[in-house]
Amino acid sequence: MTTIPHPRACWMDPGTGALLDMPGLMRRLATRQAVLLGETHDVAEIHRWQLQVTTCLHLLRPDLAVGFEMFPRRVQPVLDRWVAGGLRTAEFLQQVEWETVWGFPPEIYLPLFHFCRQQAVPMLALNCHRPLVTRVGQEGWDAVAEEDRDGLTPAAPPTAGHRGYIAKLTGRAEAGITDRFLRAQQVWDRAFACNIARHIAAAEGPAPLVIGIIGRGHLDYGHGTPHQLRDLGILDVVVLAPTEAAMLDTAEMAGIAEAVFRLDRPEEPVAHAPKG
């Protein structure tokens, strides 16, 4: 039998179903180069979990930085001004182009943004310019001039199971995940990885811990961003995943993350404006 009860508010090893001691887990995580916290963007309970994990790791590694999928690299100066206390909340959201770039309810993200500001934790913009994703998907990487690559390097070839995982995630047949679709997905994966790796490489002295706030489709089972980080030489990477499921199926969940946390069953997703 591979299905095991997963108690609320507990961490489990998804491959064995063993309960994990939270203080010990956090101490182990604090020694890594990058800790990637998967999310479903419109579920507020997941963002509360991300804040709790970030707070715990900050106590152990006050030198950490937090990187966000939600922000393209061009708004990094705005994130710096926000952390430095130079902007009000409304000004911050306007200057990072929240409604047009992201569009999900800012109130479910703001506690984590305010934590970074309050504790002077660097915030990193991990995303790239959206037209780059579209163009690489349509024409391939080599069609894009160096100056238009938004600081990215070409993605490593996908892992063997990446196409199948995306098919399962999107509810499509594997044959329906075209090379164009996969290339576009990999631009995001590579962007997040490049910007995490860039921050680690730029450190003077011991490298900081980087926490990544990233959609689970880019993280699960080591595909996507973890794979691209390994290609960039960032090998000590861990993925954490949340779940509201009361039962954990080790056959299905093995390899999805290093540890899985059982949340309260989420409320209805918060309504959000569609992205254009």
Side-chain angles (χ1 to χ4, degrees):
M1 181 175 180
T2 62
T3 303
I4 300 169
H6 190 165
R8 175 182 169 275
C10 290
W11 291 93
M12 291 186 81
D13 181 321
T16 66
L19 288 171
L20 300 174
D21 170 68
M22 180 179 174
L25 175 63
M26 292 298 137
R27 286 193 293 270
R28 292 194 298 275
L29 295 174
T31 67
R32 313 301 280 267
Q33 291 177 288
V35 175
L36 309 179
L37 306 182
E39 71 173 52
T40 302
H41 302 312
D42 58 357
V43 177
E45 189 69 15
I46 291 177
H47 300 298
R48 299 182 188 110
W49 166 77
Q50 291 172 328
L51 176 58
Q52 189 262 347
V53 174
T54 301
T55 302
C56 290
L57 290 176
H58 183 248
L59 290 170
L60 298 166
R61 287 288 301 274
D63 60 334
L64 66 76
V66 184
F68 294 90
E69 175 186 353
M70 300 81 222
F71 302 114
R73 198 163 71 101
R74 68 178 182 274
V75 305
Q76 183 63 55
V78 183
L79 303 190
D80 296 341
R81 289 196 296 274
W82 166 259
V83 170
L87 295 170
R88 293 180 179 272
T89 301
E91 294 172 322
F92 170 70
L93 293 174
Q94 179 183 32
Q95 292 185 28
V96 296
E97 307 166 37
W98 184 269
E99 287 302 321
T100 54
V101 170
W102 197 241
F104 290 93
E107 59 269 21
I108 63 179
Y109 288 89
L110 280 170
L112 190 48
F113 300 163
H114 279 284
F115 171 84
C116 292
R117 175 185 173 106
Q118 182 189 73
Q119 301 297 324
V121 171
M123 294 174 63
L124 311 178
L126 299 185
N127 218 321
C128 60
H129 192 44
R130 179 62 183 264
L132 176 63
V133 178
T134 303
R135 186 170 177 195
V136 173
Q138 292 175 341
E139 304 175 33
W141 180 260
D142 291 340
V144 181
E146 181 74 29
E147 61 271 19
D148 296 329
R149 293 177 177 178
D150 204 7
L152 305 189
T153 53
T159 54
H162 198 184
R163 189 185 300 268
Y165 168 69
I166 292 175
K168 181 178 179 181
L169 189 70
T170 58
R172 301 163 70 171
E174 187 167 339
I177 304 301
T178 62
D179 289 345
R180 172 176 171 174
F181 187 98
L182 192 56
R183 282 198 304 267
Q185 185 79 9
Q186 284 199 287
V187 176
W188 277 311
D189 297 334
R190 189 71 174 192
F192 308 153
C194 280
N195 288 312
I196 290 170
R198 185 178 291 116
H199 183 77
I200 292 172
E204 298 179 1
L209 168 65
V210 177
I211 293 176
I213 305 297
I214 298 170
R216 288 186 58 177
H218 299 284
L219 305 182
D220 287 353
Y221 297 101
H223 305 304
T225 297
H227 172 58
Q228 298 300 330
L229 279 167
R230 290 191 292 271
D231 182 68
L232 291 166
I234 307 300
L235 305 179
D236 202 2
V237 178
V238 60
V239 174
L240 303 178
T243 181
E244 71 276 4
M247 303 295 290
L248 184 143
D249 186 336
T250 57
E252 178 183 349
M253 298 289 280
I256 196 169
E258 184 156 322
V260 178
F261 185 78
R262 165 81 189 281
L263 302 171
D264 281 329
R265 186 168 296 279
E267 301 171 2
E268 290 297 315
V270 180
H272 61 86
K275 289 184 285 184

